[in-house]
Amino acid sequence: MEFDWQPVWLTLKLAGFTTLTLMFIGTPIAWWLARTSHWLKQPVAAVVALPLVLPPTVLGFYLLLLLGPQGVVGQITQSLGLGTLPFTFAGLVVASVFYSLPFVVQPLQNAFEAMGERMLEVAATLRASPWDRFMTVAVPLARPGFMTAAVLAFAHTIGEFGVVLMIGGNIPGETKVLSVAIYDHVETLEYDQAHLLAGGMLLFSFVILLTLYLINGRLNKGVR
Amino acid sequence: MNSSEGVGQKESAIFACFKTELEAFSLDVNLWLPAKGVTALFGHSGSGKTTLLRCIAGLHQAKGDLKINGECWQSAGFFLPVHKRPLAYVFQEASLFPHLSVRRNLEYGYRRVPEGERQVTFEQAVAWLGLGEMLTRMPDKLSGGERQRVAIARALLTSPRLLLMDEPLSALDHNSKQEIMPYLERLHEVLSIPVLYVTHSPEEVARLADHLVVLDAGRVVASGELSETLASLDLPVKLGENAGVVLKATVSELDDEWHLCCASFPGGELWLPNEGFQLDQPIRLRVLARDVSVALSKHEDQSMLNVLPAVVESVSENDRPGAVMVKLDLNAAEGEALGCTSMLARLTARSVDKLQLVPGKSAWVQVKSVAVLE
C-alpha cells in the first residue's frame, strides 16, 4: 500500500498560509474591537463570529458567488489579470481566512480587553508613541492570546471540509486537502488509507491542543 | 478661588483650566500653581482630584487650557499627546510592566528620552531610591513598597519637567508607607521641578506639601501656601478632626538639662522634646486645632509648656454643633510687621461665649501637643 503524502503537505501549507494571513488581518480587528466604543463594534463582532454558527456550505456558497467569474471580487481579480480564485490554492486560502477569522479575533480581543488601559497609559507617560506602546506593551502582555489564536487558526484550517468542497473542489496537489482525501477514500471503500489519515489527524489535533494548553498554563503563571 | 501667587510670577507657573462632565460629577477648575515645590491636591474621593491630574497629564481629554511655564500643552483646538509631554506620572498602584525586569522597567522611559535632554542619570535614580539590589528581579518578586520605589525611579528617569503623583502611598500598608516617605521627602530636596501630589491624607499634606489646593465636588475651594491655607477658617471644616496648622520652624536653642529644644518660627517659638535635633536644623511642626486651648490671662501655675500671646483673628462655626473654630494670629501680639503665623483652636461654643472671644481680642494660646513631621 503506497501512502500518498500530497494531501498532507497541501493541508499543512494551506494552514500555514492561512494562519499567517489571519494574524495580520485579525490583530488590528481584535485591537479595534477591544478598545472602541463605536456603534459599529457590535455589528462587526457579529459578522466576525458568523462562521461559528453558519454551516460551512453557506459560507462556501456565497464565497463561490463572490469570487466567481460573475462576482464582484471575481470581476476585479479578472480585470487585474489574476483569473478567478475558486478551485485554486489561493482561493482556498481566502476562504479559510474567512472561515477561521473568529478563532483568531476572539482570543486576541479577550487578551487585549483583559490587559486593561493602565499599562498603556503608563507607557504613554513614559514617552512611548501609540505604535511603540502596542509593540512593546500590548503584544508581550497578550502573548498567551497570540499563541491561542495561532494554534486555533492552524488547527481549525486543517479540520475544514465543507468550505473546501464548495470553493476548492477536489484537485490533487491544488485543492485536495486531508479532509477531502479521507472522504474520497471512504467513498471508494479504501478504509486502510482512510484510517491512516484519520488516525494521524486525530493524534495531530490532540498533540497540538495539548501543547497549547501546556504553554498557556505556563505563560499565565509567568506573566500574571 | 484662584491662587494667591503674584501676577509677575505667572510666566513660570502652571496654569490649568478644565471643564468636563463626568458620570458622578462635573470638574470645573481654574488654577494658578507655583512652578516649584510640592503642590498637594487634596480632597475626598469623588472630589475630582485624580481627574484633574489625569487632565493635566493628557490621559483624560477635557475641554480646557493648560500652560506649563509658558509652554502650551492644551488650548482650544490643540492637544499635545501624552507621550509628547515632558511629564512623569506615578500611579496609585505601582503599575510596573510585569514582563520586564526592574532594570528594563527603569530603562523603558529613560531610553525614549533623547540623550541631550536627560537630566537624571540611571545611577542617580537607582541610588536615590535604593534600588541597587533589585535590578535583576521581576516585579512580582518585589514587595508593594519596593514596587512603588521602582515606579518613582522609572518616572524620574524620563527627566520630567513636571511630576504628577496620584496617591502613590494609598495602596500601601503602614510599614511600606513609612518606608517610602523619606524618599519622597528627599525628592523635595533633589528635584527642582514642580510636583503635583494627589492625596486624601492630611498627614501626607502636612509632611510633604508647600502649596495646598483643596477640591470638593469638582471645584477648587481653597488654593494657596500651605500654612496660610491650612489656617484659613473655611477649610478646617473639610479636614475635620485633622484641622490644624503646619509650621516651618528652625531649631534655635537646645536645653540639655530637660531634654528640650526650642523651635522658632515667625511670630513665636515652641518648646518640644529634643529627639536628637541639631541647632539650626529646619523642622516641620504640626499643631492640631483640638490640641490648642485659649486663656485670657497667662497663668504661671500650670503644666503647659507652650503658652503664646496672640490676637483673635476670626471665629467660625465648626462642622459640629457646639464647637467653634477660632483663628489666632501670633505675630500681631509681638508687634512684628513681617511673618504671619496663625494657630487654629477648636473650642466649645460655651467657652467662646464665656471668654467673649471676638476678632481683635488679645488672648493666650496654650499648645498641648506638637507633632514633628520631619
Side-chain angles (χ1 to χ4, degrees), chain A residues 118-119 121-130 132-133 136-137 140-141 222-224, chain B residues 54 59 82-83 85-87 89 91 93 95-99 108-109 112-113 154 158:
Chain A
R118 180 46 54 85
M119 287 301 157
E121 290 186 349
V122 172
T125 65
L126 293 170
R127 312 292 155 79
S129 65
D132 190 359
R133 300 201 277 273
T136 58
V137 176
L141 289 181
V223 168
R224 268 156 242 277
Chain B
R54 289 175 61 83
L59 292 170
V82 184
H83 67 279
R85 300 184 178 196
L87 57 79
Y89 200 114
F91 291 83
E93 343 70 78
S95 308
L96 299 183
F97 297 124
H99 60 296
Y108 192 92
R112 283 166 174 76
V113 174
R154 182 177 68 175
T158 60

Side-chain angles (χ1 to χ4, degrees), chain B residues 259-274:
Chain B
H259 287 285
L260 292 173
C261 74
C262 179
S264 299
F265 49 89
E269 52 185 42
L270 289 168
W271 286 91
L272 48 142
N274 185 3

Side-chain angles (χ1 to χ4, degrees), chain A residues 137-207:
Chain A
V137 176
V139 170
L141 289 181
R143 206 165 57 167
F146 276 99
M147 286 292 301
T148 308
V151 172
L152 284 182
F154 194 84
H156 190 243
T157 306
I158 282 178
E160 75 185 57
F161 177 67
V163 176
V164 176
L165 265 195
M166 294 295 286
I167 203 126
N170 191 356
I171 307 164
E174 178 78 19
T175 61
K176 186 177 180 175
V177 296
L178 257 172
S179 53
V180 179
I182 294 172
Y183 183 74
D184 261 10
H185 288 311
V186 175
E187 285 279 272
T188 51
L189 299 175
E190 294 164 335
Y191 277 23
D192 292 344
Q193 294 274 7
H195 257 313
L196 261 177
L197 292 178
M201 231 168 124
L202 191 68
L203 192 70
F204 175 79
S205 305
F206 174 72
V207 168

Side-chain angles (χ1 to χ4, degrees), chain B residues 34-238:
Chain B
K36 63 181 170 54
V38 177
T39 297
L41 301 178
F42 177 84
H44 298 296
S45 54
S47 60
K49 52 195 194 304
T50 294
T51 307
L52 174 58
L53 203 69
R54 289 175 61 83
C55 285
I56 292 173
L59 292 170
H60 184 97
Q61 294 212 21
K63 261 187 280 174
D65 291 282
L66 178 63
K67 273 204 188 78
I68 310 288
N69 292 340
E71 194 178 305
C72 181
W73 287 8
Q74 186 184 340
S75 61
F78 175 76
F79 186 87
L80 193 65
V82 184
H83 67 279
K84 294 199 172 139
R85 300 184 178 196
L87 57 79
Y89 200 114
V90 177
F91 291 83
Q92 197 168 342
E93 343 70 78
S95 308
L96 299 183
F97 297 124
H99 60 296
L100 300 178
S101 67
V102 168
R103 175 184 286 280
R104 298 274 306 282
N105 261 286
L106 292 175
E107 285 171 349
Y108 192 92
Y110 185 62
R111 286 192 180 166
R112 283 166 174 76
V113 174
E115 251 174 83
E117 292 171 27
R118 291 178 190 164
Q119 311 269 333
V120 180
T121 69
F122 189 84
E123 291 71 27
Q124 269 175 333
V126 168
W128 282 344
L129 287 133
L131 306 177
E133 301 290 303
M134 53 183 95
L135 288 178
T136 55
R137 281 153 68 189
M138 293 305 282
D140 59 349
K141 299 282 185 288
L142 303 177
S143 72
E146 288 170 333
R147 275 203 284 273
Q148 198 58 285
R149 269 154 60 196
V150 176
I152 294 169
R154 182 177 68 175
L156 294 180
L157 277 168
T158 60
S159 302
R161 274 184 272 149
L162 173 65
L163 177 59
L164 307 173
M165 302 182 109
D166 183 10
E167 309 206 34
L169 300 183
S170 69
L172 302 176
D173 58 47
H174 179 76
N175 288 341
S176 306
K177 271 183 201 165
Q178 297 310 313
E179 170 197 329
I180 302 245
M181 197 51 106
Y183 292 105
L184 291 181
E185 283 168 347
R186 208 176 321 148
L187 279 187
H188 208 267
E189 294 154 26
V190 293
L191 285 184
S192 53
I193 58 166
V195 180
L196 300 189
Y197 189 101
V198 164
T199 183
H200 64 261
S201 152
E203 170 78 23
E204 287 167 29
V205 170
R207 282 185 70 161
L208 298 170
D210 301 307
H211 191 93
L212 177 63
V213 174
V214 182
L215 287 155
D216 190 36
R219 305 283 189 283
V220 175
V221 294
S223 170
E225 199 272 325
L226 179 69
S227 325
E228 260 172 55
T229 315
L230 281 177
S232 61
L233 276 185
D234 48 346
L235 180 66
V237 181
K238 311 280 180 261

